[in-house]
Amino acid sequence: MEFKKNPELIEKPDHAHYPVCRGRLDEIEEISRKTFFYTLGTNGVLALFSLLQVPMHLVGWVPLLFTMQDTSAFNMGAGFSFFQLLMCLIIAGISLLGCTKHKIFTAIMFFLYALTFVCSLIARLTGFDFITVIIGIGGMYNSLGALKGYSDYKQLRNTEGFPIFSTVLADHDDMKKYSPNGYNKKHFDKLLREKALRERNIAPHQADSSYPVPNLTQPQSADTKDIGGMPSLNVTRPARNTSVEQKFIPKAHKELFFSDSTLKLK
């Protein structure tokens, strides 16, 4: 099945399409995850009714084909209960496949929930049909956009950068083109040395080929090729200002020392 391509996901030069494609891919994956977890929850409810031998829409359609008796609540037999439980597992498996690269299964779940909703309104099985009506509405809401997501996912699979769409990895691959052997240690040391020389404003032709790679964690001196000398400190004592001391002289005579007490303690 061919779908119309999404113009926002078309490849652009310099990997400019990566952010949009990454965001759209995350949206598609989120739809599949929401549908899967919602299906697990609703199938748990349907499995409970299966144990109670109550026929329910969607999971009870196939077992009803092999049952000759009329539908009734709490009295469909152990065989019917087993096969309806099996259908719950199968439908949960279909939603799980939608979380993989097969996004068509999420689109199938949308149609199954829509069919559940319509059939629950038209055909009456038991008095619990209102539960499947609610399940159908919730399923359509959670899997809404699955069909469009499937078409966009097919386009993304044929787009450059899939499935990561990482600009960091793209820049890494572009840089590897400048080295025939990739990022080996000799080539990496050369790049590190050139970067250190640029940061120290040292021209490549001024540096000796035997000049070691500087330690980037320490400041370097271009003249001495070391960490440089410590600047001299000014340790001269500042001149004292007597006007400041006058502010702390008491106006009246006060004791400026501790005197001995005349009290004698036994």
Side-chain angles (χ1 to χ4, degrees):
M1 182 183 298
E2 294 293 334
F3 295 92
K4 184 179 179 181
K5 289 188 176 181
N6 190 342
E8 296 180 354
L9 306 180
I10 296 177
E11 294 182 10
K12 299 178 180 61
D14 298 329
H15 317 292
H17 61 285
Y18 276 15
V20 178
C21 292
R22 179 71 257 178
R24 181 55 179 157
L25 184 62
D26 291 340
E27 291 177 355
I28 296 172
E29 295 290 350
E30 182 64 21
I31 293 174
S32 299
R33 284 193 295 267
K34 286 173 57 178
T35 303
F36 171 65
F37 288 115
Y38 178 80
T39 304
L40 282 182
T42 55
N43 277 17
V45 177
L46 296 177
L48 177 61
F49 281 97
S50 298
L51 293 176
L52 298 176
Q53 301 180 8
V54 179
M56 304 295 289
H57 280 285
L58 184 62
V59 293
W61 292 343
V62 174
L64 285 174
L65 295 177
F66 302 96
T67 303
M68 302 302 297
Q69 66 184 52
D70 296 332
T71 58
S72 60
F74 309 108
N75 192 24
M76 293 300 296
F80 178 87
S81 176
F82 171 77
F83 283 108
Q84 189 163 278
L85 280 173
L86 183 61
M87 289 301 302
C88 293
L89 295 177
I90 292 175
I91 293 176
I94 293 175
S95 63
L96 178 61
L97 289 175
C99 296
T100 63
K101 62 181 180 179
H102 306 289
K103 300 302 178 185
I104 190 174
F105 288 101
T106 305
I108 292 175
M109 289 302 304
F110 172 78
F111 290 112
L112 288 178
Y113 281 120
L115 193 60
T116 302
F117 171 72
V118 174
C119 292
S120 298
L121 295 177
I122 298 176
R124 176 178 172 82
L125 293 180
T126 62
F128 299 100
D129 291 346
F130 71 95
I131 296 178
T132 52
V133 171
I134 299 174
I135 289 176
I137 295 174
M140 288 188 295
Y141 174 78
N142 285 277
S143 59
L144 189 65
L147 187 61
K148 178 61 177 175
Y150 169 63
S151 64
D152 288 346
Y153 188 82
K154 288 187 64 177
Q155 180 179 349
L156 290 172
R157 291 186 62 180
N158 298 322
T159 304
E160 186 267 331
F162 179 85
I164 301 178
F165 295 111
S166 173
T167 55
V168 176
L169 294 179
D171 294 340
H172 173 79
D173 294 336
D174 293 340
M175 290 296 296
K176 285 179 64 176
K177 297 178 183 178
Y178 296 100
S179 175
N181 297 326
Y183 274 124
N184 52 35
K185 186 178 185 302
K186 182 178 180 181
H187 179 66
F188 180 77
D189 291 342
K190 179 181 177 183
L191 294 178
L192 183 61
R193 179 174 176 272
E194 292 176 353
K195 178 182 178 182
L197 294 177
R198 288 195 303 269
E199 292 178 349
R200 274 76 179 174
N201 296 323
I202 303 176
H205 64 274
Q206 295 178 354
D208 186 14
S209 60
S210 61
Y211 176 60
V213 178
N215 187 358
L216 298 180
T217 61
Q218 296 181 355
Q220 299 280 329
S221 174
D223 299 329
T224 60
K225 298 181 182 179
D226 57 11
I227 62 174
M230 280 290 292
S232 60
L233 301 178
N234 185 10
V235 294
T236 59
R237 186 176 182 179
R240 299 181 60 183
N241 191 349
T242 57
S243 63
V244 177
E245 297 180 356
Q246 296 297 328
K247 297 180 179 180
F248 298 97
I249 296 178
K251 297 180 180 180
H253 177 71
K254 293 183 179 181
E255 295 285 346
L256 300 180
F257 55 90
F258 291 98
S259 59
D260 294 335
S261 175
T262 58
L263 296 177
K264 302 297 182 178
L265 300 179
K266 294 182 180 181

